[in-house]
């Protein structure tokens, strides 16, 4: 057995979202996107290639996956074997410190960590751009989790041109993200399914591409200037316009539940009271509230009264991929 390699990657929250793929095989998105990597949610994955194995052996959160459950991991490892000219199967052990499939992009940290650990275990020496490209093949948002802080994913048009770049990795801006977990169950409509449904059937999809371009042009200079209001207004309107694509698709669907709408109203009330904060959501009912670090305690208290303190996690900007050997 070759030496095992362990990598840790953090998840990210998209502030300007991609929603839809131009190429589903290579996971090339229809638009670029921009995210913030978070310190509280991460995946640790250990990979070792072993000539004694007769198939890939994958365990996630101490549960061994069936061949069917592990098919995405197996396909991803085939890419690594292809790039490294290895033929042996691998032993993969992964622990997710992210509520899976709850709109917190657990696949981002999972495939970023897998890309790092598997490529190194296979003897590849990839720079972070190449790692970002590789991670993208497992999950689109994983391309951004290779880097810390604020990260832009250039949509590109093929495998070589679609990868992420850091905007600011070491964030010295006192900001936080309050994650409100309203439902930790698996989504009825997966992101992958939902995206393609919107691309294929929403009459507003062409306008979405222009919205993303405009939002990226607004948010990047605002982040560099630490313009909290512009960043907040941009990320909130971008999220709502993305979710409008789910409601305008056919058949229409929504990731919101009743608590989602109540929580949105709470954020607006806090703003009205002078506590400036903004919400965003990915493909799930859970809110991520972008706020100044000084306002975290007030926001936490208000949300705890409505939804319970156990459902709130406070995160700060997080780091890029780390190797733990």
């Amino acid at each position: 057995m070759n030496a095992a390699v362990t990598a840790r990657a953090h998840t990210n929250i998209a502030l300007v979202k991609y929603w839809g793929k131009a190429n589903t095989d290579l996971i090339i998105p229809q638009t670029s996107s921009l995210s913030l990597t978070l310190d509280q949610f991460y995946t640790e994955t250990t990979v070792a290639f072993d000539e004694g194995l007769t198939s890939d052996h994958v365990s996630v959160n101490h549960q061994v996956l069936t061949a069917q459950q592990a098919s995405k991991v197996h396909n991803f490892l085939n890419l690594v074997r292809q790039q490294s000219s290895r033929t042996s199967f691998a032993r993969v052990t992964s622990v997710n410190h992210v509520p899976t499939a709850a709109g917190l992009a657990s696949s981002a940290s999972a495939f970023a960590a897998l890309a790092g650990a598997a490529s190194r275990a296979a003897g590849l020496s990839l720079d972070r751009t190449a790692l970002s490209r590789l991670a993208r093949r497992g999950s689109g948002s994983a391309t951004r989790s290779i880097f810390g802080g604020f990260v832009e994913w250039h949509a590109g048009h093929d495998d070589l041109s679609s990868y992420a770049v850091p905007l600011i990795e070491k964030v010295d801006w006192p900001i936080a993200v309050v994650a409100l977990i309203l439902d930790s169950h698996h989504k009825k409509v997966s992101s992958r399914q939902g995206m393609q449904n919107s691309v294929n059937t929403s009459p507003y999809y062409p306008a979405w591409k222009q919205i993303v371009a405009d939002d990226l042009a607004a948010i990047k200079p605002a982040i560099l200037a630490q313009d909290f209001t512009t960043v907040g207004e941009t990320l909130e309107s971008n999220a709502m316009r993305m979710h409008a694509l789910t409601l305008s698709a056919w058949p229409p669907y929504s990731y919101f539940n009743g608590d989602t709408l109540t929580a949105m109203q709470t954020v607006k009330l806090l703003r009205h009271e002078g506590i400036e904060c903004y919400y965003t959501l990915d493909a799930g009912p859970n809110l991520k509230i972008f706020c100044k670090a000084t306002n975290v305690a007030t926001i936490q208290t208000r949300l705890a009264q409505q939804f319970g303190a156990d459902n709130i996690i406070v995160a700060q900007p997080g780091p890029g991929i780390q190797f733990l050997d």
Side-chain angles (χ1 to χ4, degrees), residues 22 52 186 251:
H186 277 268

Side-chain angles (χ1 to χ4, degrees), residues 20-29 136-137 192 195-196:
K21 299 180 181 80
N23 181 319
T24 51
D25 293 333
L26 294 175
I27 312 190
I28 310 291
R136 190 199 77 236
R137 299 290 297 274
R192 197 164 285 206
M195 279 180 195
Q196 290 318 111

Side-chain angles (χ1 to χ4, degrees), residues 242-290:
M242 183 204 101
H243 283 276
L245 294 174
T246 75
L247 296 168
S248 58
W250 188 261
Y253 59 102
S254 177
Y255 292 110
F256 298 171
N257 62 26
D259 284 342
T260 306
L261 299 173
T262 303
M264 288 173 176
Q265 200 53 41
T266 300
V267 172
K268 288 174 186 167
L269 280 171
L270 282 162
R271 273 209 301 267
H272 184 68
E273 292 162 20
I275 306 295
E276 195 180 8
C277 54
Y278 300 88
Y279 61 79
T280 185
L281 319 81
D282 281 334
N286 306 315
L287 261 69
K288 273 69 70 172
I289 298 156
F290 181 74

Side-chain angles (χ1 to χ4, degrees), residues 62 189 234 254:
H62 316 293
V189 180
T234 305
S254 177

